[in-house]
Amino acid sequence: MSVNPHETDRLRPTYDPAPSLARVLAPLAAKAGIRFNGADPWDIQVYDPRFYRRVLADRSLGLGEAYMDGMWGSGAADETICRIVRADLARELTRAPSLSLLWQGAAARLTSTVTRERAREAIAAHYDIGNELYEAMLDARMNYSCAYYQGQPLPQTLGQAQEAKLDLVCRKIGLQPGQRVLDIGCGWGSFAKFAAERYGARVTGVTLSREQKAWAQRSCGDLPVTIRLCDYRDIEGRFDRIVSIGMFEHVGPEEYRTFFEQADRLLKPGGILLLHCIVGNRSRLVGEAWMSKYVFKKGVLPSFKQIAEASEGLFAPWDAHNFGPDYDRTLMAWFENFDRAYREGRLDRKRYDQRFYRTWKYYLLSCAGLFRAGGAQLGQFVFARPGELRGYRTAR
């Protein structure tokens, strides 16, 4: 359990519960060891009695929106969500239909195919909201994916754990000097720069974010790195290695097969594809309601089954590595950085107002709780064409 020392929600005055609705939700919360207006740090402090109706009507979407609107708080929101996920309270609440969720789900399915235009819009909505935010939140290399806290020597800081992750990827793909590497969804160029600096690789990184492209180009300087503003479906060329770190969650279920077909076209004989992504425990066609609406538009977590089916007949899986628990620690480190920067006034309060702060706080802490509860995994998969990879030994 992780209690955030900067959390102030529990210090605010609370309202008396709305008796009838509270009686409906209280027994469910008790299954997760959560009380309304209780003394434990993970207990939910209710500031507005409309909270109960909001949650009963819209479940996880309502819970997140009520937090954004200041209707509730917690001394440790990450642990609150962890307990909710472990107790599977979402399943308990699905018995009653929600018109707003049904409408949102139907609308999401109608627009579920991630076209090039929809992909650009979704990426811009999250990644082009200002590099100053990500510079304050992330490590010095601007890694926006799960760190690896299990390297040798054992990483102690976020930056060390992120470098351990980048080195792990390079070792898993057997990266050699001079090899051509494609980084699909290169972000701010963290892997591209590392692979060029430490392993002498020639890297082409592609992103749909203009902010990321500009930052990555400055960061990589005179290294043999090219950053392109390009959809992965429009990439041309041939590469010895392909790496995709934290991008597959944006592909969309209807395009999973397209992703692997494109990787097959681009990869040289004997090449290796490494896929690093968050993996959901269940196969889904649309993303989680609150996260899709407010954080990652068009984002959907693939399941192990969906990844296996999408790659079948094209690639054989040579290694599958799950270090999901490390994402809890990564997210908590990101939150501490973000929270500190916001409270110290290092972020523009006009651009990132109080509602943004609560939205971003809920995003980071709820995701930490999700991984702590085992509600999602972090998968690194090594793929190669059947029969082309001999004597491969994975790295840890």
Short mmCIF file of all heavy atoms in Angstrom, two decimals, residues 36 113 316 392:
data_model
loop_
_atom_site.label_atom_id
_atom_site.label_comp_id
_atom_site.label_asym_id
_atom_site.label_seq_id
_atom_site.Cartn_x
_atom_site.Cartn_y
_atom_site.Cartn_z
N PHE A 36 -17.06 4.76 3.59
CA PHE A 36 -17.30 6.15 3.25
C PHE A 36 -17.06 7.01 4.49
O PHE A 36 -17.62 6.77 5.56
CB PHE A 36 -18.72 6.35 2.73
CG PHE A 36 -18.98 5.62 1.44
CD1 PHE A 36 -20.04 4.74 1.32
CD2 PHE A 36 -18.15 5.81 0.34
CE1 PHE A 36 -20.28 4.06 0.14
CE2 PHE A 36 -18.38 5.14 -0.85
CZ PHE A 36 -19.44 4.26 -0.95
N THR A 113 -12.59 1.61 -35.51
CA THR A 113 -11.45 1.47 -36.42
C THR A 113 -10.58 2.72 -36.33
O THR A 113 -11.04 3.83 -36.53
CB THR A 113 -11.93 1.29 -37.86
OG1 THR A 113 -12.75 0.12 -37.94
CG2 THR A 113 -10.74 1.12 -38.80
N ALA A 316 6.58 -16.20 -34.82
CA ALA A 316 6.58 -17.11 -33.69
C ALA A 316 7.06 -16.34 -32.46
O ALA A 316 8.00 -15.55 -32.56
CB ALA A 316 7.51 -18.30 -33.94
N TYR A 392 18.51 -18.64 -30.22
CA TYR A 392 18.18 -17.42 -29.49
C TYR A 392 18.10 -17.70 -27.98
O TYR A 392 17.52 -18.71 -27.55
CB TYR A 392 16.85 -16.86 -29.96
CG TYR A 392 16.39 -15.62 -29.21
CD1 TYR A 392 16.95 -14.38 -29.49
CD2 TYR A 392 15.44 -15.70 -28.20
CE1 TYR A 392 16.56 -13.24 -28.79
CE2 TYR A 392 15.03 -14.57 -27.50
CZ TYR A 392 15.60 -13.35 -27.81
OH TYR A 392 15.23 -12.22 -27.11
#
